[in-house]
């Protein structure tokens, strides 16, 4: 379990939402610097653990933060909180970067943008509740299952690493991955 | 399309959904391009899966938020702030896909793609490639299967992802209706059969490459890529 979560710093999550809104409203550079200081180094860790080189991870972390600045007007805290929104931007840029490494057919793409529900009056509260539930669900997992869930976000074949780490057959590792993700889903439903 | 055609819409609840692994890989951006196309087509039709996706994305955000930081180069913030001060480059105009099948109604989720030509794959079975931008090796395809026809017997090295758009098929265990998502493990040889009545149209993709058995396999091999 190399990556036991460090003691969470006292983070004002609502503060991050307000910072993105301040960038959208009046190009707030101080808010951008604060967001950058928190998220860019974590994005770099995330991308390196996803298999990117330190250089590529740093580039995409910066590209993600630049997108945060440019797309701030599209940020809607009723749909997703700051961390979730930034995670999704990084996810899309990571896919684009992996595509660029291959021979490119010249066609622009918006295919990664999935349809979103129209926001309504209660959506903001529901989103904050959902994100609090998600943190509670992650905290309720056993250490091994939390490790598996994190690995699943970093790797496309998490069971391969689990099998190697625990010295268990691939098939067994596969069922442990399935169990961990199903438990996460169940926890999310129970908390709801 | 015939009158009793059952077309995928948002109305009926789906019975078959992507696995947790698939939805999480999609949320994390690690699902291969072809399977991602099939998953997107299901998400467009399935509100419960969009809610599961939103929860997985929130989990991704929470995990990102709790990661230990890795320092960036000293001037990274200044560099980024300088770029932010410049006007954003204009987005390239989105070119409309040139070739799409005209004989079927495409769901909105597939209208951004360009398609290959329909190819004969066997009695009653035709297939056409979905061209994913910048992903020449993506394996997504449309399959059109005449009523009561077998999809050529096949196994595959990775999982096979299929979404029914129109009509229905039975894989020996379960029946799959419009909007239903099938995820067949690579280890299983399976032989889906379309139901009588109307053509069954699916969007399908593989993690690995498909191997057809027997004569048909050798006949279709030259077309490659399926
Ligand atoms: Zn679903």
């Amino acid at each position: 379990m190399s990556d036991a979560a460090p003691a969470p710093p006292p983070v004002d999550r609502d503060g991050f939402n307000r910072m993105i809104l301040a960038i959208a409203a009046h190009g707030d550079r101080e808010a951008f610097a604060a967001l950058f200081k928190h998220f860019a180094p974590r994005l770099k860790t995330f991308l390196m653990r996803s298999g990117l080189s330190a250089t590529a991870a740093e580039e995409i972390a910066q590209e993600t933060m630049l997108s945060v600045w440019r797309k701030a007007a599209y940020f809607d805290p009723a749909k997703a909180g700051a961390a979730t929104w930034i995670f999704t931007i990084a996810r899309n840029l990571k896919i684009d970067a992996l595509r660029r490494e291959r021979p490119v057919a010249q066609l622009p793409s918006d295919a990664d943008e999935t349809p979103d529900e129209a926001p309504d009056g209660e959506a903001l509260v529901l989103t904050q509740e959902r994100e609090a539930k998600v943190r509670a669900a992650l905290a309720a997992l056993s250490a091994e299952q939390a490790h598996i869930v994190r690995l699943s976000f970093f790797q496309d074949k998490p069971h391969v690493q689990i099998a190697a780490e625990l010295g268990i057959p691939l098939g067994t590792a596969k069922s442990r991955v399935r169990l961990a993700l199903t438990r996460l889903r169940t926890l999310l439903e129970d908390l709801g | 399309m015939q009158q009793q055609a059952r077309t995928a819409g948002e109305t009926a609840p789906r019975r078959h959904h992507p696995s947790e692994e698939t939805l999480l890989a999609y949320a994390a951006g690690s699902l291969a391009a072809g399977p991602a196309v099939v998953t997107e087509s299901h998400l467009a039709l399935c509100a419960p899966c969009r809610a599961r996706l939103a929860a997985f994305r929130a989990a991704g955000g929470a995990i990102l938020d709790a990661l230990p930081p890795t320092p960036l180069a000293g001037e990274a913030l200044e560099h980024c702030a300088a770029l932010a001060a410049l006007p954003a480059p204009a987005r390239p105009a989105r070119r409309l896909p040139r070739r799409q099948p005209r004989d079927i109604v495409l769901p909105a989720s597939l209208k951004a793609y360009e398609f290959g030509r329909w190819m004969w794959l066997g009695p009653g079975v035709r297939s056409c490639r979905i061209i994913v931008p910048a992903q020449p090796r993506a394996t997504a395809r449309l399959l059109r299967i005449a009523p009561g026809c077998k999809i050529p017997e096949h196994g595959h090295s990775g999982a096979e992802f299929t979404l029914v758009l129109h009509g229905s098929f039975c894989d020996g265990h379960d029946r799959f209706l419009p909007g239903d998502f099938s995820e067949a493990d690579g280890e299983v040889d399976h032989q889906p059969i379309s139901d009588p009545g109307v053509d069954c149209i699916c969007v399908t993709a593989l993690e690995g490459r498909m191997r057809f058995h027997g004569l048909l396999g050798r006949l279709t091999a030259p077309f490659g890529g399926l």
Side-chain angles (χ1 to χ4, degrees):
Chain A
M1 315 291 116
S2 56
D3 93 317
V11 172
D12 175 10
R13 294 200 171 76
D14 246 11
F16 290 140
N17 290 357
R18 282 196 300 274
M19 287 171 194
I20 301 176
L21 295 172
I23 293 172
H26 51 269
D28 190 324
R29 297 187 151 267
E30 277 177 34
F32 182 67
L35 280 168
F36 191 99
K37 275 178 191 139
H38 181 74
F39 283 108
R42 288 172 172 82
L43 285 165
K44 186 173 174 186
T45 307
F46 192 93
L47 293 159
M48 285 173 72
R49 290 194 191 177
S50 303
L52 288 157
S53 68
T55 315
E58 180 145 340
E59 275 174 22
I60 297 175
Q62 293 194 67
E63 209 181 327
T64 303
M65 294 314 296
L66 191 57
S67 286
V68 167
W69 175 270
R70 288 185 174 151
K71 294 184 173 177
Y74 299 97
F75 172 66
D76 180 354
K79 283 186 183 169
T84 302
W85 188 64
I86 292 171
F87 167 77
T88 306
I89 292 176
R91 171 245 190 230
N92 291 346
L93 290 173
K94 181 183 80 174
I95 293 176
D96 288 349
L98 294 173
R99 283 179 186 180
R100 260 182 260 131
E101 286 172 9
R102 299 179 184 131
V104 174
Q106 284 303 329
L107 264 182
S109 157
D110 279 22
D112 306 322
E113 284 163 28
T114 47
D116 279 318
E117 317 282 65
D120 61 50
E122 286 173 85
L124 178 56
V125 177
L126 290 176
T127 301
Q128 288 171 345
E129 279 176 8
R130 181 174 66 215
E131 306 213 333
K133 275 176 206 160
V134 166
R135 285 191 297 273
L138 287 170
L141 291 170
S142 72
E144 182 185 299
Q145 290 191 323
H147 177 60
I148 290 175
V149 167
R150 277 196 297 272
L151 258 181
S152 302
F153 271 97
F154 303 136
Q155 305 191 348
D156 57 346
K157 303 258 179 267
H159 57 278
V160 175
Q161 180 160 343
I162 299 292
E165 279 177 11
L166 302 180
I168 53 177
L170 270 183
T172 313
K174 242 183 189 169
S175 7
R176 290 213 194 164
V177 170
R178 183 158 302 161
L179 267 176
L181 300 187
T182 304
R183 176 145 157 76
L184 175 63
R185 209 258 329 255
T186 316
L187 280 167
L188 289 169
E189 284 169 0
D190 286 354
L191 290 163
Chain B
M1 306 271 156
Q2 296 173 30
Q3 289 201 323
Q4 71 266 49
R6 284 172 296 199
T7 306
E10 186 73 76
T11 47
R14 318 289 152 210
R15 295 174 310 155
H16 300 286
H17 305 270
S19 68
E20 314 296 335
E21 293 96 307
T22 298
L23 263 193
L24 195 142
Y26 180 81
S30 57
L31 191 62
V37 170
V38 184
T39 305
E40 264 158 25
S41 291
H42 178 80
L43 285 164
L45 297 168
C46 184
C49 281
R50 288 200 295 275
R52 287 159 73 209
L53 176 67
F56 280 148
R57 279 187 172 155
I63 286 168
L64 168 69
D65 202 32
L67 280 175
T70 305
L72 277 75
E75 73 287 6
L77 170 59
E78 289 67 27
H79 179 64
C80 209
L83 285 174
L86 302 172
R91 286 185 78 156
R94 214 166 148 197
R95 215 195 309 155
L96 280 177
R98 283 164 301 179
R99 197 192 312 150
Q100 297 204 312
R102 294 207 191 94
D103 46 349
I104 63 171
V105 181
L106 281 177
S109 57
L110 293 178
K111 286 202 170 126
Y113 295 105
E114 189 147 355
F115 290 75
R117 294 181 198 289
W118 285 107
M119 290 187 323
W120 185 84
L121 262 197
V125 184
R126 288 187 300 149
S127 149
C128 121
R129 202 161 91 81
I130 300 174
I131 298 162
V132 182
Q135 294 275 285
R137 297 177 63 187
T139 56
R141 300 182 155 262
L142 285 177
L143 274 184
R144 181 169 190 156
I145 309 142
C149 281
K150 291 174 180 176
I151 299 171
E153 191 179 347
H154 63 284
H156 21 86
S157 47
E160 179 186 55
F161 303 81
T162 304
L163 174 81
V164 181
L165 295 173
H166 180 82
S168 59
F169 73 83
C170 197
D171 73 351
H173 308 281
D174 286 308
R175 168 152 289 119
F176 292 80
L177 302 173
D180 277 338
F181 188 96
S182 147
E183 225 175 296
D185 196 287
E187 283 115 51
V188 191
D189 267 18
H190 65 143
Q191 190 163 30
I193 302 178
S194 60
D195 287 323
V198 293
D199 282 3
C200 177
I201 299 171
C202 303
V203 48
T204 185
L206 292 171
E207 259 181 345
R209 292 171 67 83
M210 195 183 290
R211 311 170 254 113
F212 281 93
H213 301 311
L215 179 62
L216 187 67
R218 288 195 289 280
L219 281 176
T220 53
F223 296 110
L226 207 145

PDB file of all heavy atoms in Angstrom, chain B residues 61-73:
ATOM      1  N   GLY B  61     -12.070  13.016  -8.601  1.00  0.00           N
ATOM      2  CA  GLY B  61     -11.744  14.343  -8.068  1.00  0.00           C
ATOM      3  C   GLY B  61     -11.246  14.255  -6.633  1.00  0.00           C
ATOM      4  O   GLY B  61     -10.256  14.895  -6.264  1.00  0.00           O
ATOM      5  N   ALA B  62     -11.911  13.414  -5.819  1.00  0.00           N
ATOM      6  CA  ALA B  62     -11.518  13.282  -4.407  1.00  0.00           C
ATOM      7  C   ALA B  62     -10.136  12.644  -4.296  1.00  0.00           C
ATOM      8  O   ALA B  62      -9.330  13.035  -3.441  1.00  0.00           O
ATOM      9  CB  ALA B  62     -12.561  12.440  -3.666  1.00  0.00           C
ATOM     10  N   ILE B  63      -9.857  11.651  -5.172  1.00  0.00           N
ATOM     11  CA  ILE B  63      -8.545  11.000  -5.141  1.00  0.00           C
ATOM     12  C   ILE B  63      -7.457  11.989  -5.563  1.00  0.00           C
ATOM     13  O   ILE B  63      -6.407  12.088  -4.932  1.00  0.00           O
ATOM     14  CB  ILE B  63      -8.561   9.736  -6.033  1.00  0.00           C
ATOM     15  CG1 ILE B  63      -9.347   8.629  -5.313  1.00  0.00           C
ATOM     16  CG2 ILE B  63      -7.149   9.266  -6.365  1.00  0.00           C
ATOM     17  CD1 ILE B  63      -9.690   7.440  -6.172  1.00  0.00           C
ATOM     18  N   LEU B  64      -7.736  12.743  -6.625  1.00  0.00           N
ATOM     19  CA  LEU B  64      -6.783  13.779  -7.062  1.00  0.00           C
ATOM     20  C   LEU B  64      -6.487  14.760  -5.925  1.00  0.00           C
ATOM     21  O   LEU B  64      -5.330  15.082  -5.637  1.00  0.00           O
ATOM     22  CB  LEU B  64      -7.364  14.522  -8.270  1.00  0.00           C
ATOM     23  CG  LEU B  64      -6.647  15.813  -8.684  1.00  0.00           C
ATOM     24  CD1 LEU B  64      -5.271  15.503  -9.257  1.00  0.00           C
ATOM     25  CD2 LEU B  64      -7.470  16.592  -9.708  1.00  0.00           C
ATOM     26  N   ASP B  65      -7.551  15.201  -5.275  1.00  0.00           N
ATOM     27  CA  ASP B  65      -7.457  16.195  -4.208  1.00  0.00           C
ATOM     28  C   ASP B  65      -6.585  15.709  -3.051  1.00  0.00           C
ATOM     29  O   ASP B  65      -5.950  16.500  -2.361  1.00  0.00           O
ATOM     30  CB  ASP B  65      -8.887  16.475  -3.720  1.00  0.00           C
ATOM     31  CG  ASP B  65      -8.992  17.822  -3.026  1.00  0.00           C
ATOM     32  OD1 ASP B  65      -8.259  18.738  -3.411  1.00  0.00           O
ATOM     33  OD2 ASP B  65      -9.805  17.922  -2.094  1.00  0.00           O
ATOM     34  N   ALA B  66      -6.573  14.376  -2.817  1.00  0.00           N
ATOM     35  CA  ALA B  66      -5.868  13.821  -1.657  1.00  0.00           C
ATOM     36  C   ALA B  66      -4.476  13.305  -1.993  1.00  0.00           C
ATOM     37  O   ALA B  66      -3.795  12.767  -1.128  1.00  0.00           O
ATOM     38  CB  ALA B  66      -6.709  12.692  -1.048  1.00  0.00           C
ATOM     39  N   LEU B  67      -4.035  13.439  -3.252  1.00  0.00           N
ATOM     40  CA  LEU B  67      -2.718  12.907  -3.624  1.00  0.00           C
ATOM     41  C   LEU B  67      -1.597  13.769  -3.054  1.00  0.00           C
ATOM     42  O   LEU B  67      -1.764  14.978  -2.887  1.00  0.00           O
ATOM     43  CB  LEU B  67      -2.577  12.886  -5.154  1.00  0.00           C
ATOM     44  CG  LEU B  67      -3.228  11.731  -5.897  1.00  0.00           C
ATOM     45  CD1 LEU B  67      -3.091  11.938  -7.395  1.00  0.00           C
ATOM     46  CD2 LEU B  67      -2.596  10.404  -5.499  1.00  0.00           C
ATOM     47  N   PRO B  68      -0.453  13.145  -2.778  1.00  0.00           N
ATOM     48  CA  PRO B  68       0.701  13.953  -2.395  1.00  0.00           C
ATOM     49  C   PRO B  68       1.169  14.775  -3.597  1.00  0.00           C
ATOM     50  O   PRO B  68       1.106  14.291  -4.728  1.00  0.00           O
ATOM     51  CB  PRO B  68       1.753  12.911  -2.003  1.00  0.00           C
ATOM     52  CG  PRO B  68       1.337  11.664  -2.699  1.00  0.00           C
ATOM     53  CD  PRO B  68      -0.157  11.715  -2.826  1.00  0.00           C
ATOM     54  N   PRO B  69       1.593  16.017  -3.381  1.00  0.00           N
ATOM     55  CA  PRO B  69       2.021  16.853  -4.505  1.00  0.00           C
ATOM     56  C   PRO B  69       3.407  16.459  -5.031  1.00  0.00           C
ATOM     57  O   PRO B  69       4.242  15.992  -4.265  1.00  0.00           O
ATOM     58  CB  PRO B  69       2.057  18.263  -3.902  1.00  0.00           C
ATOM     59  CG  PRO B  69       2.232  18.048  -2.433  1.00  0.00           C
ATOM     60  CD  PRO B  69       1.599  16.729  -2.101  1.00  0.00           C
ATOM     61  N   THR B  70       3.611  16.607  -6.335  1.00  0.00           N
ATOM     62  CA  THR B  70       4.942  16.492  -6.933  1.00  0.00           C
ATOM     63  C   THR B  70       5.305  17.881  -7.453  1.00  0.00           C
ATOM     64  O   THR B  70       4.575  18.422  -8.290  1.00  0.00           O
ATOM     65  CB  THR B  70       4.936  15.498  -8.113  1.00  0.00           C
ATOM     66  OG1 THR B  70       4.423  14.255  -7.663  1.00  0.00           O
ATOM     67  CG2 THR B  70       6.332  15.305  -8.680  1.00  0.00           C
ATOM     68  N   PRO B  71       6.392  18.476  -6.944  1.00  0.00           N
ATOM     69  CA  PRO B  71       6.688  19.860  -7.338  1.00  0.00           C
ATOM     70  C   PRO B  71       6.875  20.007  -8.841  1.00  0.00           C
ATOM     71  O   PRO B  71       7.411  19.111  -9.498  1.00  0.00           O
ATOM     72  CB  PRO B  71       8.002  20.156  -6.606  1.00  0.00           C
ATOM     73  CG  PRO B  71       8.144  19.098  -5.585  1.00  0.00           C
ATOM     74  CD  PRO B  71       7.381  17.915  -6.035  1.00  0.00           C
ATOM     75  N   LEU B  72       6.419  21.130  -9.377  1.00  0.00           N
ATOM     76  CA  LEU B  72       6.659  21.467 -10.779  1.00  0.00           C
ATOM     77  C   LEU B  72       7.901  22.334 -10.855  1.00  0.00           C
ATOM     78  O   LEU B  72       8.398  22.810  -9.831  1.00  0.00           O
ATOM     79  CB  LEU B  72       5.462  22.240 -11.362  1.00  0.00           C
ATOM     80  CG  LEU B  72       4.282  21.391 -11.855  1.00  0.00           C
ATOM     81  CD1 LEU B  72       3.479  20.858 -10.690  1.00  0.00           C
ATOM     82  CD2 LEU B  72       3.401  22.186 -12.799  1.00  0.00           C
ATOM     83  N   ALA B  73       8.395  22.545 -12.071  1.00  0.00           N
ATOM     84  CA  ALA B  73       9.534  23.451 -12.253  1.00  0.00           C
ATOM     85  C   ALA B  73       9.197  24.795 -11.606  1.00  0.00           C
ATOM     86  O   ALA B  73       8.039  25.214 -11.587  1.00  0.00           O
ATOM     87  CB  ALA B  73       9.805  23.629 -13.744  1.00  0.00           C
TER      88      ALA B  73
END
